[in-house]
Structures are given as C-alpha cells and as structure tokens.
Amino acid sequence: MRHLGRPAVLATVLAAVGLLPWLTRTDPALTILHARYADRPPTPAVLDAIRAETGLDGGPLRVLGDWAGGLLHGDLGRSWVSGQPVAPDVTSALGVSLTLMGGSLAVALVLAFALAAPTLWRGARRRLTTTRAGAVAAVLAALPEFLLAAVLATVLAVQLGWFPALGWGRADQLVLPALAMGVPAGALLGRLLDDALPAAFAEPWARAAAASGMPPRRVAGHALRRSAPALLPQLGLVVVGLTGGAVAVETLYAIPGLGSTALAAALAQDLPVLQACVLLLLLLGLAASLVARAGSRLLLGPVRTARALPALVAPVLPVRRAVTVAAGGLAVLLAAVTVVGLLRDPLAVDAAARLASPSAAHPLGTDSLGRDVLARLGHGTARTVLTAVAVSAVTLLLGLVAGALRAGALTETANALPAVLAGLVVAGVAGPGPWGAAAAVAAVAWAPLAAHTSALYTQEKAAPHLAASLALGAGRGHLLRRHLLPGVVPPVVRHAVLRVPAVALALASLGFLGLGAQAPAPEWGRMLSENMPYAERAPWAVLAPAAALAVLGALAVLTTASVRGRRGGSGGRGGSGG
C-alpha cells in the first residue's frame, strides 16, 4: 500500500489541477479568447467554437481523460493559449530551472557550511562552551528573495555593471539569481546544521577521538556525517523549492523557468501547460525525496535496523548574556515601533508628500501614495506577525503528525507545489482574502517540518535505549512520551520558529497577487511589493518592512536560544537531530 501512495497522491493533485477552471467557477473559453483573439467579441458562437477545439465541450472528465491518454504516449498536449505542443516549452523551462537550481544549491551549501564553521571548529577542539544563537542565519533566512534579487540587480548590475540585470543563456546571467535564491536557503540549512552539531560533539566518540589525538578536521568530518541523516530530507526539499518556487526571482530577471511558466499558465487558465509543469515538479520532488532517503540510510548504515544508534543528546550549554540582552532589545524595539505606529493613521494619503524621506512628521518616510510608513508598519505588525505565528503553529502540528505517521507521499507532493499555485486553487474556491491565503500557505508549509520529524523519528527509533525499555515492558505511550517526543519535538519546534518570517513572506506574495490581504490593508508583505518599483528612489519604504521581517526572524531565534540555554537543551535532549 505504501508503494501505491505516491501514484495515488500524484494522480489526485493532477486531477485537482485539471479541474481548476471548474473549481474557480471561471469560463476557460473566455480566458482563451482573450489570450488568442483580444479583438474578437465573446459571442456564444465564438466561445462554442473554442470549446469544441480544446475539448472543453465534453466537460472536465473528458479534459482529464484526453490529457491522461496523451500522457501514456508521451504527449503533454497542446497549449490552449498558443496552440503549440506543450512538451518542448515545458522541458526547456525545466532545463533552465534545473540549471538555476544547481547554481543556487551551490551557493546554499557554501553558505550553510560557512555559518556552521565556527561550531565545527570549536566542537572539534572541545571548545563549545556556550549556546550559539544563530542570529545571522535567521536574518539571512528572513530576507525576501525578491528584495534580495532587486538589491543585487540594482547594485551589482545597474550601478556597478558587473553582471547583466536581465536575460538567460550565459554563465554570468546565472550569478545574481543564484545568489538571490541560494542565500536564504543556505541560511536555513546552516541554522539547522549548527543546531545539530553540538549534540554530535557531545557524544562519547567525540570525547574519545579528541583524547586519542585525532586531528580536529577528522573529528569535524565525523560530526558532519553524524548530523547529516536528519538534514538530508531538508536538502531534498530545498532542491525542489529552488526549482519550482522561484517565481519572483525568475520574473524579476526574465528567466523562462518552470516556476514562472507554471504561474503564467495558472493565471491564463492554460491547463495543459499547468498540468505538465505540476507533473514535472511532482516527479522531481519524488526523485529528490528518494535520493535523500537513500543517502540518509546509507549514512546510518546497519545501525538503523539493529537499534544500535545512540540518540543525539544536546549538551547543557549556558547562554551568553548578550543573547538574552539582544532578544530583549529587539523585542522592545519592535514593540515601540508598533505602539508608535498604532497612534498614526495608516490610510491617510498626502499626495504632496509622496515618497518623502524620513523627517519629524514621518520618521520612516512615506510610500508611493504619500502614506506614513511608520503607521503602516505598526498597524501591520498584528496582521503580519500574528497570522504568520498562527499559520506556523498549524504547520508545526501538521508536520509533527504527518512525520510521525510517515506520510512521505503527501509530504513530497505538498513540498513540490509552490504556495502560489495552492493559493490560486484556494482563492478560486473560497474567494480571495487573508483566510484563504493562510489556508493555502498552511497547506504546503508543513512539508519541511514533516520531513524533519520523520528523519528524527527514524533515528530515535534506532536508539538502543528504546530496545531496553521495550524489554523492560514499557508501553507505546511511555515510549512516545519519555523517549521519542523529547528527542523529536524540540528541534522541530526550533525549525518551525526559524520559518516564521518565511511564512510571512509567503502570505505577502499571495497578497501581492491579489489572493491574500487586499489593498489598502497595512501588511508588511504588501508594503514590500507595493514599494519595490520605487526602491531606488525611496529605499526607506522597502527597507522598513524588510528590516521588520529580519528583526522578527532574529528575535524568534534569539528567544529560542535564550530559553534553550537556560533549560539546558530541553532536559538534555533538545538538540536531537537538528
């Protein structure tokens, strides 16, 4: 049955995509008419002719059946908009996305190693004495990809002329988009690796290796191998996310990748193209998951089934006072900005003060409509932060449950679908709005947490103390409460906290497309999107919400590190896995 799960889930998702026009209650024939023949009136005869040409006159079941029948013969169908075969364009977009993914992944791996290097260096020399907060990684992970892409294009391409700002096809055109996508992904991976390493260095083998004079680089290498099995599933999910989820970066740099192709097809109701893109993303997600799982099993070796793998136990490391002070300072700063902003009107428009620089009247300047940035930032705090935290809590619960149930097929499918596509379906069914956007993000954002939970759960079940507890007559409830959950939940919770700014950005991207919070509602993501065209002229309008997101990410991680340091790693097991 487990082997039948993935094909069944894949078929279900493709069927849901194929039913998109009927779910959204739109007329695809009218959309096709506007795309192909903008000057022709939408008369019943014209629309009936389009339906007959595309097979829409037979209803949704015929559309799905025709597409599935062609798929068996290697035919992905013809575009409803252009009338051309889908396969050449989609496979070309896949090649572009895979190339971009390769460059972005290289950047991510280098950055992840750089962020974890201090812990590797100190741990290999037995010098880990305090809990590292990882605030730098949190700030980098909270950077919006489209903002980073715009800054890189403005500075390195337009002002310095080092790289081209647009286009695709040459090696130098890969650099800026790879940096824009690789930096946030690498920061996330680096933070997870840095969180896992202290538990590996605290194991008896590390103490014995240091006492016997083993070179520090070999000790560090063994610690990396010990920590890697729990992180490989995350790497697989990052691979898929970098391939299909880079819609904003691909659009900004005019890159004809799979993500932008899928989004354009969804907006145009071009079902054959959209179904082909989703199929390739799902197959890529399946392949990446299988490779990551095989790599994890290879690293664990026979101890996985022999129950000879000791559980990773975090050392009791005190937290630096500076970490607690920094967390308190950021909390006070964010609260102060919120309170002052709430005292101002976020909707008041002053046409004479459009894009005004910071002043006494407008401490953070004004936006493109002359609205006070501080007011909108303060009023947007509750909307952005509370919604992101609520969605993150839901995804944490879903991830823990799905990971414990080993729902691999659902996890891979959810991760392969960009939140934008999920948002289109949810908004079409329930209508655009903040609740629909929150549901769409929650529907896909649990996948990395589920993969993390599943990897940690596998390692915990291989621990020898579990077999000893079973031999002593421990029940399933006791094993779950006293052995499995203490080793799985704390690192997954820290992972979920690190993703809070990413959830806020996903909600913002849906709002920008008109699927989330509607204008003129003050929301950090909308502030970023609305003022991006004016970033060079009025950078304060973009930097204010971006800085707020970075502060949110740093505050979450600093607070977690402070609590973890005081509690000694959640009872001595909080660093299990990563």
Side-chain angles (χ1 to χ4, degrees):
M1 291 295 295
R2 290 184 64 183
H3 296 290
L4 296 177
R6 288 180 175 83
V9 172
L10 188 147
T12 302
V13 173
L14 290 176
V17 173
L19 295 175
L20 185 61
W22 292 271
L23 292 174
T24 57
R25 298 179 295 276
T26 59
D27 187 355
L30 188 61
T31 303
I32 296 171
L33 174 65
H34 290 160
R36 288 190 186 180
Y37 320 105
D39 56 340
R40 295 182 63 177
T43 62
V46 172
L47 294 178
D48 288 340
I50 291 177
R51 294 188 186 99
E53 178 186 352
T54 58
L56 288 168
D57 54 349
L61 294 182
R62 177 183 170 185
V63 171
L64 286 174
D66 291 345
W67 188 80
L71 193 62
L72 296 176
H73 303 287
D75 181 14
L76 296 179
R78 288 182 172 271
S79 168
W80 286 356
V81 174
S82 66
Q84 299 299 314
V86 170
D89 290 340
V90 172
T91 53
S92 175
L94 176 63
V96 171
S97 289
L98 289 177
T99 303
L100 180 56
M101 179 270 291
S104 303
L105 187 60
V107 172
L109 292 177
V110 171
L111 179 59
F113 182 81
L115 290 172
T119 299
L120 277 172
W121 191 90
R122 294 189 181 96
R125 291 163 176 79
R126 313 299 301 164
R127 296 180 184 176
L128 278 179
T129 57
T130 57
T131 296
R132 292 191 71 222
V136 173
V139 170
L140 293 177
L143 285 177
E145 290 181 349
F146 59 87
L147 175 62
L148 188 57
V151 171
L152 291 174
T154 301
V155 176
L156 300 183
V158 177
Q159 296 182 356
L160 299 179
W162 291 354
F163 302 99
L166 297 172
W168 184 258
R170 303 196 313 266
D172 57 350
Q173 292 173 324
L174 173 64
V175 176
L176 296 185
L179 287 173
M181 293 168 54
V183 167
L188 176 64
L189 291 175
R191 181 68 185 91
L192 294 176
L193 176 60
D194 190 65
D195 189 56
L197 286 172
F201 283 123
E203 290 189 315
W205 68 264
R207 293 194 295 269
S212 63
M214 181 181 290
R217 61 181 182 83
R218 290 189 60 189
V219 177
H222 285 300
L224 281 174
R225 178 172 179 174
R226 183 69 176 91
S227 306
L231 300 181
L232 279 180
Q234 296 302 313
L235 185 60
L237 298 183
V238 165
V239 166
V240 181
L242 290 175
T243 305
V247 177
V249 175
E250 289 180 356
T251 302
L252 182 63
Y253 288 106
I255 298 174
L258 200 60
S260 57
T261 300
L263 178 60
L267 295 175
Q269 297 282 322
D270 196 347
L271 282 191
V273 176
L274 179 60
Q275 284 177 301
C277 292
V278 171
L279 175 62
L280 292 179
L281 285 173
L282 293 178
L283 292 177
L284 178 65
L286 175 60
S289 174
L290 292 177
V291 171
R293 186 171 303 173
S296 180
R297 291 181 176 180
L298 181 63
L299 288 173
L300 289 176
V303 297
R304 184 179 62 87
T305 54
R307 289 190 171 179
L309 184 69
L312 283 169
V313 179
V316 180
L317 299 176
V319 64
R320 292 180 180 178
R321 181 176 176 81
V323 172
T324 304
V325 172
L330 289 179
V332 171
L333 174 63
L334 187 59
V337 170
T338 300
V339 170
V340 175
L342 288 173
L343 300 177
R344 297 167 173 263
D345 186 357
L347 304 180
V349 175
D350 185 359
R354 292 179 63 251
L355 301 177
S357 59
S359 62
H362 304 286
L364 296 182
T366 63
D367 64 7
S368 58
L369 296 179
R371 298 173 298 191
D372 187 77
V373 171
L374 178 58
R376 295 184 64 77
L377 195 68
H379 282 266
T381 300
R383 183 185 298 271
T384 302
V385 176
L386 294 182
T387 303
V389 170
V391 172
S392 298
V394 172
T395 59
L396 173 62
L397 180 61
L398 292 175
L400 288 171
V401 173
L405 296 177
R406 315 299 293 276
L410 285 174
T411 301
E412 295 152 8
T413 303
N415 181 73
L417 291 175
V420 171
L421 293 183
L424 288 171
V425 175
V426 172
V429 176
W435 292 109
V441 174
V444 296
W446 58 267
L449 302 177
H452 199 181
T453 300
S454 180
L456 294 172
Y457 191 73
T458 299
Q459 289 195 80
E460 289 295 324
K461 288 186 69 176
H465 67 82
L466 206 65
S469 297
L470 284 171
L472 293 173
R476 297 184 62 181
H478 176 83
L479 292 176
L480 185 66
R481 186 176 62 257
R482 302 291 297 178
H483 296 282
L484 294 176
L485 290 182
V488 172
V489 174
V492 178
V493 169
R494 293 194 294 274
H495 185 177
V497 168
L498 187 62
R499 288 187 176 272
V500 170
V503 169
L505 286 175
L507 293 169
S509 64
L510 294 178
F512 176 64
L513 294 172
L515 305 176
Q518 303 297 296
E523 195 266 341
W524 293 355
R526 287 201 64 86
M527 292 176 65
L528 277 170
S529 303
E530 291 170 348
N531 294 291
M532 277 298 297
Y534 313 98
E536 190 170 358
R537 178 181 171 187
W540 48 85
V542 174
L543 290 177
L549 284 168
V551 167
L552 175 63
L555 177 61
V557 173
L558 288 171
T559 303
T560 302
S562 181
V563 172
R564 181 186 181 189
R566 286 199 300 269
R567 294 183 180 178
S570 298
R573 293 184 56 88
S576 177

